Amino acid sequence: MAQGHAHREITPTNQRMSARTIRDTPTERVRSSEHLSHISNQCGWEWIRYQQLCMNRSKCSEVKCGNNEKKKKKLHLFNQSRKERSTMAGDKSQLKMFLEEISVLQWVFTFLFLGVLCIMLMVYLMFTSLWPLPVLYFLWMVVDWETPERGGRGTTFVRRWKVWEHLRDYFPVKLVKTADLSPNRNYIFGCHPHGIMCAGAFSSFSTDSSNFSSLFPGVRPLLAVLAGLFRVPLLREYIMCAGLRPVSRSSLIHLLTQHGKGNAVGIVIGGAEESLSSAPGLNTVVVRRRRGFVRMALECGADLVPVYSFGENELFHQVMLSEGGVGRSLQDLFKRVMGFAPCLFVGQRFGLMPARTTVTTVVGSPITVEHRLVPSEEEVDHYHRLYMEALNKLFHQHKVSCGLSEQHQLQII
């Protein structure tokens, strides 16, 4: 029984009315802790159930909000990533990107494996019914042995292949002119750095994809590479048609003295030793003890032109072996015997594809060199010093515009 106004009997009807009132007015839930305690004592399990229902609804709402936030965040990241990929690719179509990757892949396989495959093919044919073919070809090689040293083939149709334009666009490779080159002079382009595969020098001087003839009218570029490659059957024909020539002394003299004026022969000065110093973030060139190209320029009266390919060292990651270690000693031994160094590098896709990083090949101003049939050591040292100063100046003038910071320095060893 109820006693006064403070207490009254809790009946099922009152209990249901209280619970219904609370359920019908959720915005008027609780205004003080005392009121909450009083109602909970009166409403019993109905009030507890209502609290649990509200908590469950609140949790569900939080979960839904959390899921929506996660979905929005994932969508934002996806759109941002797609935008970055689209910007990097220059809004290229899927077909265009596929053609670029195929072009680069064939270039990498040519660089690494084509020579070995050509040798294996000729040996295999010797043990088949087609053995007369390799025999006739070897006889042809004996007769044609000196052709690479004498300017190579007259045809250079490989230079004009469409595949080289896709190769250029993959990175992309850009050719920058800083000064005019007279077609009445011959030139030796000192190309730096070597990198892993000389992408900048190859695309700029061994193909017609970089519009070299438009930038330097009347000048014919050629790239000189390892002379041993021209002793490999079949491979020698392919690379001669691509405008490559041996870097031997007799070949360079012939190109710079027997082909008139307007010849520009690119030489990767650092060679195999420089390739071992190729890694992202490094700007190391091997030229301090390399004087042979300067002597050649004096003997032929060819001007020296420093060339630097910014971004070349960013294309691959190389395992740098410590000086004096067993691995580096084996690399040096292989380099002395074979003429090139086996670099332990890794790319992106399949470990072979280079990074899509812009390679900017900057052609510097020519250093006028006088003609000396027998140059003295003082003259060689003088022009060698001028060349290193010009190379260092070229690097620092263009490093910021080509993506490097002011803190980057050129290390000449």
Side-chain angles (χ1 to χ4, degrees):
M1 298 294 294
Q3 297 179 1
H5 296 284
H7 299 87
R8 61 194 179 102
E9 183 178 0
I10 303 297
T11 65
T13 303
N14 292 337
Q15 192 175 23
R16 285 192 297 271
M17 289 178 62
S18 299
R20 188 183 302 112
T21 302
I22 295 172
R23 286 196 300 270
D24 292 339
T25 59
T27 57
E28 301 290 332
R29 291 180 184 175
V30 178
R31 297 185 179 180
S32 67
S33 58
E34 294 180 358
H35 188 53
L36 174 62
S37 176
H38 177 70
I39 295 178
S40 61
N41 289 334
Q42 291 185 357
C43 298
W45 65 272
E46 289 280 354
W47 172 250
I48 294 174
R49 183 180 177 184
Y50 173 75
Q51 279 186 313
Q52 291 177 347
L53 181 62
C54 290
M55 289 176 62
N56 291 337
R57 289 180 178 177
S58 177
K59 288 181 180 180
C60 291
S61 178
E62 290 177 359
V63 170
K64 290 181 180 179
C65 291
N67 290 337
N68 291 335
E69 290 296 326
K70 289 181 180 179
K71 290 180 180 179
K72 289 180 180 179
K73 187 175 181 180
K74 288 182 180 179
L75 182 60
H76 174 71
L77 292 176
F78 173 76
N79 291 333
Q80 184 177 6
S81 176
R82 184 173 61 180
K83 184 178 180 180
E84 290 177 356
R85 290 196 303 269
S86 177
T87 303
M88 182 182 298
D91 295 328
K92 301 174 184 176
S93 65
Q94 292 293 329
L95 176 60
K96 172 62 176 173
M97 295 186 67
F98 173 76
L99 292 175
E100 290 176 1
E101 292 178 353
I102 291 297
S103 300
V104 172
L105 192 60
Q106 69 82 25
W107 172 66
V108 171
F109 270 85
T110 298
F111 186 92
L112 297 176
F113 307 119
L114 185 58
V116 177
L117 291 177
C118 288
I119 295 174
M120 293 175 62
L121 176 62
M122 299 301 285
V123 172
Y124 169 76
L125 291 177
M126 287 292 294
F127 296 94
T128 67
S129 59
L130 299 176
W131 63 267
L133 293 180
V135 171
L136 291 174
Y137 181 81
F138 285 131
L139 292 176
W140 162 252
M141 279 188 64
V142 172
V143 176
D144 196 56
W145 191 256
E146 297 298 330
T147 297
E149 307 287 337
R150 297 173 181 172
R153 306 267 184 250
T155 177
T156 56
F157 72 95
V158 176
R159 294 174 60 98
R160 299 186 294 272
W161 281 359
K162 188 73 173 179
V163 67
W164 306 129
E165 296 181 11
H166 296 308
L167 172 71
R168 173 203 63 195
D169 296 339
Y170 174 88
F171 299 100
V173 177
K174 300 178 181 179
L175 183 62
V176 176
K177 172 185 176 180
T178 62
D180 292 330
L181 298 181
S182 172
N184 299 320
R185 299 283 295 177
N186 287 328
Y187 303 94
I188 292 181
F189 285 1
C191 303
H192 309 273
H194 185 286
I196 299 297
M197 297 184 185
C198 305
F202 176 82
S203 180
S204 300
F205 308 134
S206 189
T207 74
D208 294 339
S209 63
S210 297
N211 298 320
F212 183 94
S213 58
S214 299
L215 295 175
F216 305 99
V219 180
R220 299 177 297 275
L222 294 170
L223 186 62
V225 297
L226 190 65
L229 297 176
F230 296 87
R231 304 298 181 240
V232 180
L234 300 180
L235 177 65
R236 66 194 295 270
E237 318 298 336
Y238 175 71
I239 60 179
M240 274 195 287
C241 291
L244 299 177
R245 298 293 183 268
V247 76
S248 63
R249 176 180 173 82
S250 60
S251 173
L252 296 178
I253 290 178
H254 191 278
L255 291 172
L256 295 172
T257 61
Q258 303 299 320
H259 281 246
K261 301 299 181 180
N263 300 295
V265 182
I267 303 175
V268 185
I269 305 297
E273 184 177 351
E274 193 172 272
S275 67
L276 295 176
S277 302
S278 170
L282 297 181
N283 301 287
T284 303
V285 296
V286 179
V287 68
R288 195 173 297 278
R289 297 189 302 272
R290 305 292 175 96
R291 290 176 167 81
F293 72 101
V294 179
R295 188 181 301 277
M296 180 67 62
L298 284 164
E299 293 177 356
C300 300
D303 294 347
L304 293 170
V305 181
V307 178
Y308 198 91
S309 294
F310 293 90
E312 183 74 49
N313 286 343
E314 311 298 321
L315 303 182
F316 295 96
H317 291 271
Q318 182 178 184
V319 179
M320 307 295 289
L321 302 178
S322 59
E323 293 285 348
V326 176
R328 186 57 181 265
S329 299
L330 291 175
Q331 282 182 324
D332 293 337
L333 176 62
F334 191 93
K335 176 170 64 70
R336 288 194 298 269
V337 174
M338 302 299 295
F340 64 94
C343 300
L344 303 177
F345 68 91
V346 61
Q348 292 186 340
R349 192 173 302 177
F350 313 117
L352 296 175
M353 297 291 288
R356 282 185 179 267
T357 300
T358 302
V359 178
T360 307
T361 302
V362 183
V363 180
S365 302
I367 302 170
T368 303
V369 178
E370 298 182 5
H371 189 193
R372 294 286 188 270
L373 292 177
V374 184
S376 64
E377 291 299 324
E378 290 76 14
E379 290 175 320
V380 173
D381 291 340
H382 171 70
Y383 285 105
H384 185 260
R385 183 172 60 256
L386 291 179
Y387 178 84
M388 289 192 296
E389 292 173 356
L391 177 62
N392 190 64
K393 180 180 178 181
L394 179 71
F395 176 84
H396 288 287
Q397 282 182 341
H398 296 273
K399 63 181 181 181
V400 175
S401 62
C402 294
L404 300 182
S405 65
E406 287 286 355
Q407 287 70 33
H408 278 84
Q409 299 296 321
L410 180 65
Q411 183 180 7
I412 301 178
I413 59 177

